[in-house]
Amino acid sequence: MSTALQITLPGAQFPDNFPRIYPDPLMSEGSLLLFDAINSLGAGVPENDDILTNIAYQPASAIVAGDEATLSPVWYQHSSVAGTESDYHFLERTSKGGIHAGFSWETIFTLGGRWMGFMIPQAIRDHVFANTPGRQFYVSMIMRATRQAGSSSRDVMTAGQIGSTTSARSFVLRTGYTDEASIVSVSGGGRFVKNYPDAGSIIDLVPQLQAGWFSNWYGTKPGSPPAGGNSNVGWGSRGPWGSTYLGEMPSWILYRFYIEDLFVSGRTGEQVAAADLAKFNADFGEGGRFADDTFSDPLLVKP
């Protein structure tokens, strides 16, 4: 039989700056979305329409309208890449819980819109859209490429919010390709950080933290919030370039994805990036949650 001790302090008052306890050390009162591969979903691979828990739904619900269900992302797989394997793709969980997906280089897509992943919840997407230009937002992703894109393709958008018919964007995070100057593309005047813990090349297959903070759009802001394949985190052919780059697509592992409203939190991008990097180092350092992760070799699973 369990027991609990309740202490009542009549008349007790706490200052506004009294420290708050969050379920993740990266979070703050400005947190909008936090996906964590271990804590956002149960065992096994996600299936179409599965809800991936937004660890930050409580502070997010104080910023935008919604609850745990509506502020959590929903997993999506196009019918051509349904289930754990098709002629085109494979999908698995790594030994440490990461989501690992990739594509065949022998059987490639001939049409765009073939992708899997999750869309940024609508209320959060609309909030970011409505407040840029204006507020500053921080966005980051922790991932690991396991096979880079081939010479006839590139991963132009691993995560991002892009104008539905143009290359205008508020942010883009990508797996990387040899002719790209950076894996992080943010709005004009935005700033970014990138971390290669064990190497210095964009094409190295190591865990990476990608992060940026922005307050405007790069290019002309579209008239309405980008939806579907233009505002998401995922693998495959989607976004404005979904029908352009249909060659040898990359394989990669997703561990974490995060969005914060810096106006609400009162933090700077540098402060959040430092907290993000500390969490990254703890998770991938000796004894960390994602340290020594193992996974299938994409070259063997999908030649």
Side-chain angles (χ1 to χ4, degrees):
M1 178 179 179
S2 62
T3 60
L5 175 65
Q6 177 176 319
I7 299 176
T8 303
L9 302 175
Q13 296 182 353
F14 299 96
D16 292 338
N17 62 351
F18 193 81
R20 292 175 171 84
I21 298 176
Y22 295 103
D24 189 279
L26 180 59
M27 288 173 53
S28 74
E29 60 185 331
S31 298
L32 289 168
L33 174 61
L34 174 58
F35 166 84
D36 180 276
I38 292 177
N39 297 318
S40 290
L41 67 162
V45 299
E47 299 180 354
N48 226 14
D49 297 326
D50 278 356
I51 293 177
L52 312 180
T53 301
N54 177 4
I55 308 301
Y57 81 89
Q58 289 184 315
S61 66
I63 302 171
V64 301
D67 55 21
E68 182 177 2
T70 59
L71 295 177
S72 291
V74 177
W75 184 258
Y76 168 83
Q77 285 179 250
H78 186 272
S79 59
S80 62
V81 289
T84 59
E85 188 172 5
S86 71
D87 291 342
Y88 299 105
H89 88 292
F90 71 91
L91 176 65
E92 68 176 7
R93 297 291 294 278
T94 69
S95 66
K96 296 299 180 74
I99 300 180
H100 184 207
F103 300 93
S104 171
W105 283 18
E106 294 180 350
T107 306
I108 62 175
F109 298 124
T110 58
L111 297 171
R114 275 58 178 163
W115 68 279
M116 70 191 93
F118 61 82
M119 285 173 266
I120 296 172
Q122 182 175 334
I124 297 171
R125 178 203 70 188
D126 291 353
H127 176 74
V128 174
F129 183 84
N131 288 283
T132 49
R135 297 187 181 188
Q136 194 167 59
F137 294 90
Y138 176 92
V139 60
S140 71
M141 177 174 62
I142 293 176
M143 53 79 66
R144 176 175 183 161
T146 56
R147 177 166 60 172
Q148 284 292 354
S151 59
S152 64
S153 181
R154 65 172 64 173
D155 183 34
V156 294
M157 175 182 160
T158 296
Q161 184 177 78
I162 303 180
S164 58
T165 58
T166 71
S167 60
R169 73 266 187 184
S170 56
F171 73 91
V172 175
L173 308 178
R174 50 180 168 252
T175 305
Y177 185 64
T178 52
D179 71 348
E180 296 287 358
S182 169
I183 53 175
V184 182
S185 173
V186 296
S187 64
R191 303 186 65 183
F192 68 85
V193 297
K194 53 186 177 181
N195 182 59
Y196 308 104
D198 299 316
S201 171
I202 193 172
I203 61 171
D204 285 326
L205 307 180
V206 297
Q208 299 176 7
L209 165 65
Q210 306 175 18
W213 45 103
F214 58 92
S215 59
N216 206 337
W217 276 73
Y218 178 90
T220 302
K221 180 179 178 179
S224 58
N230 298 301
S231 189
N232 63 35
V233 180
W235 298 254
S237 59
R238 78 262 191 240
W241 306 286
S243 298
T244 304
Y245 300 105
L246 296 172
E248 302 98 342
M249 293 186 177
S251 303
W252 58 279
I253 303 166
L254 175 65
Y255 294 101
R256 284 166 67 89
F257 179 77
Y258 183 66
I259 303 176
E260 177 172 317
D261 186 327
L262 297 176
F263 174 82
V264 175
S265 69
R267 300 199 288 185
T268 65
E270 289 87 350
Q271 289 173 323
V272 185
D276 218 349
L277 182 58
K279 177 64 173 167
F280 173 89
N281 288 334
D283 281 345
F284 286 92
E286 184 176 356
R289 298 187 307 152
F290 300 128
D292 303 315
D293 198 9
T294 58
F295 43 87
S296 299
D297 184 344
L299 292 169
L300 300 178
V301 179
K302 286 293 166 189

